[in-house]
Amino acid sequence: MDSPAADQEKGYGSSSDEGHGPAIYEQHKGLKGLYYNPITQVSMLGFVCFMGPGLFNALNGLGAGGQLDSTTNSNANTALYATFAAMAFFAGSVNNMLGPKVTLLLGSMGYCLYIGSYLAMNIHAGAGPFVVVAGAILGICAGLLWTAQGSLMMAYPTESQKGKFIAIFWSIFNLGGVVGAAVACGRNWHSTAGNVDNGTYIGFLILTLIGVAIPMAMADPNKMIRSDGTKVTTPRQLSWKTEIMGLWITLRTDPMIILLFPMFFASNWFYTWQFSEFNGALFTIRARGLNNLLYWISQIIGSVLISFLLDRKSISRRVRAYAGWTALFLMVFVVHIWGYFYQKQYTRATAHQSVDIYDKPYVGRVFFYIFCGLLDAMWQTTSYWLMGAMSNDPSKLAFFAGFYKSIQSSGGAGSWRADAVGVPYMNMFISTWVLLAADLAFALPMIVLRVKEHTELEDEAM
């Protein structure tokens, strides 16, 4: 099926959308064709993250990891994002050496340990240090998982499908948050305690263990053929030194990625205020559970809506990039002007977990929280789409994804540490607003200068 001449091509496979007439391969047929379909594989990738990061998000979204006091959770998240930032910077090299399947497998293991640590703290009140250590280990694992995920998700679609594939992944991934939040909400609906019960943590733990097995059932990326017949190939590197050098070469040959670094930094910063300083600070455990469920449902809606805009074939890719940027700009100001009127009503000293679902103040606040979820999904989806607009090369995209998760996690570590040391809620809220607005200003020159109608072969050079 694969011609020798085509197999001798350069290590990356380019999409036929580029108009350069690359080699076209015959699609697999029958059940094999279904298995090797890029949508099937991206869906499986989504379920890997459903069982790991999705359930982690459901737990974190409850505020304080489902606990009454947020200090241990904030310290664990600080450790997590610090090691995540360090690992993710080099994870592109690890992914290119070990391959995405092994990298995903190793990455998924840390989520079991992390959720198990919260079960341990529910049983033994003094297990807080174990939670922090588990967070640090998860950071290393998450750096591997998200880098492998990003490289595959951006490499499997053609250029005209990237928004669609990101939306498919993001929807399935966030179903983990939805299911986890629904379980937590249901089990704690009549609870008067300030933390979730053991059964919630046990259910999450079982699901994360199932998720560890999924990566080994996924297809070899080297055998994948895109919907337009072009082949996805992952180049084999000669040594770790070659891969580490690839980080520098990527920055040197495509420096416009640096203009997206501030956007990456902000993409986890806002979680601290949303999860712990709004949801965790104001609501009962029942209301927190329902808020969490609606937040992750809104994530699915947000990713689908922005993907329709980013993949709209009736307008050019450059116009779509500007439209996506404008949509983010408007959402940032709508959400934060709205949120400011809530934040000015309470402080760290006066906040009480007292607002319940039947209270009059709940209605406006829960709709605000839904808009926070919409903004998050739109921000993350657009970030991935912009990286995908810069390259179709899985190796280069692995480096981009590593930069993204490393810098994103640096922001997360700083934000959670600020919460742990008691930075005023208003300061955290304003910092979130300013960061998001400023980061869009940094990203705009990259869109103007770097996003083209098609990714050219010279853009792939490393």
Side-chain angles (χ1 to χ4, degrees), residues 201-401:
Y201 290 123
I202 292 171
F204 281 22
L205 181 59
I206 292 170
L207 289 173
T208 55
L209 287 168
I210 295 171
V212 172
I214 298 176
M216 300 316 295
M218 294 177 65
D220 181 351
N222 283 304
K223 297 180 180 179
M224 291 297 298
I225 299 172
R226 298 187 183 98
S227 62
D228 62 358
T230 56
K231 191 174 182 181
V232 177
T233 57
T234 51
R236 295 179 180 273
Q237 299 298 338
L238 298 177
S239 68
W240 288 101
K241 181 180 178 181
T242 303
E243 278 299 318
I244 298 300
M245 284 296 294
L247 291 166
W248 162 245
I249 294 170
T250 300
L251 289 173
R252 189 187 67 191
T253 58
D254 211 339
M256 286 293 175
I257 189 68
I258 296 172
L259 292 175
L260 294 182
F261 283 4
M263 193 173 179
F264 299 167
F265 184 85
S267 60
N268 265 12
W269 183 275
F270 45 69
Y271 285 148
T272 304
W273 184 85
Q274 291 176 2
F275 294 164
S276 282
E277 299 174 359
F278 180 75
N279 195 33
L282 295 181
F283 301 93
T284 63
I285 189 66
R286 172 168 62 181
R288 285 156 60 187
L290 181 57
N291 294 348
N292 196 25
L293 174 61
L294 295 173
Y295 183 92
W296 297 114
I297 291 174
S298 70
Q299 287 261 350
I300 296 172
I301 296 170
S303 65
V304 171
L305 289 177
I306 195 69
S307 73
F308 286 151
L309 175 62
L310 295 175
D311 276 354
R312 192 173 181 85
K313 294 182 179 180
S314 60
I315 54 178
S316 70
R317 184 159 77 165
R318 284 180 58 80
V319 172
R320 282 179 269 149
Y322 290 126
W325 184 94
T326 302
L328 287 182
F329 184 85
L330 293 174
M331 278 293 290
V332 164
F333 279 87
V334 167
V335 167
H336 289 86
I337 290 171
W338 188 354
Y340 173 77
F341 289 100
Y342 293 141
Q343 179 56 80
K344 70 178 185 178
Q345 297 175 18
Y346 67 98
T347 66
R348 215 174 258 279
T350 62
H352 298 288
Q353 298 166 329
S354 59
V355 179
D356 196 25
I357 58 173
Y358 299 115
D359 297 337
K360 187 176 180 180
Y362 179 75
V363 177
R365 286 163 176 78
V366 72
F367 276 103
F368 164 72
Y369 204 56
I370 288 170
F371 269 74
C372 288
L374 291 172
L375 172 59
D376 179 22
M378 292 169 66
W379 189 277
Q380 311 287 354
T381 302
T382 304
S383 296
Y384 276 118
W385 186 89
L386 288 172
M387 286 186 284
M390 297 175 72
S391 178
N392 296 315
D393 175 4
S395 180
K396 190 173 187 178
L397 290 170
F399 289 131
F400 282 176

Side-chain angles (χ1 to χ4, degrees), residues 128-146:
F130 175 44
V131 177
V132 176
V133 172
I137 295 171
L138 174 57
I140 296 171
C141 294
L144 295 172
L145 182 143
W146 280 108

